[in-house]
Amino acid sequence: PQVLLIDEPTSALDQERGAAIMDLIADLTHERGAATLLVTHDLVHRDALDELVTVIDGRMTDETTVGVGSPQRTADQRRLP
């Protein structure tokens, strides 16, 4: 597929196994030239992401970040319509 939709792939895993799954997803994404939309509450593995979009109360915030250590938004900051 050109797009992989993945929901909470590491939610029930310990950190080591979660990292292995994130590595597998990244490898498959790059090998196949695909895009991956991954939904997670676990930001421990955020260094494996190319982009991070935060959703608060069902809305994307106006902050799209790239890379590790990027700023995160809080609920009281401006949101996209």
Side-chain angles (χ1 to χ4, degrees):
Q2 291 181 324
V3 178
L4 300 173
L5 304 175
I6 302 174
D7 186 20
E8 298 285 353
T10 61
S11 63
L13 303 176
D14 60 41
Q15 189 168 354
E16 182 180 341
R17 286 176 178 74
I21 293 298
M22 292 300 292
D23 288 344
L24 176 63
I25 292 168
D27 289 347
L28 288 172
T29 298
H30 290 107
E31 286 173 9
R32 297 172 188 244
T36 298
L37 174 63
L38 183 135
V39 177
T40 186
H41 291 89
D42 184 4
L43 296 180
V44 170
H45 308 293
R46 71 177 171 254
D47 58 336
L49 308 175
D50 293 325
E51 293 188 36
L52 173 67
V53 176
T54 304
V55 177
I56 299 173
D57 296 333
R59 294 176 159 243
M60 290 190 317
T61 64
D62 62 343
E63 187 73 26
T64 300
T65 59
V66 178
V68 181
S70 300
Q72 293 190 14
R73 305 295 284 203
T74 59
D76 60 340
Q77 291 174 308
R78 200 177 101 218
R79 300 180 192 151
L80 293 175

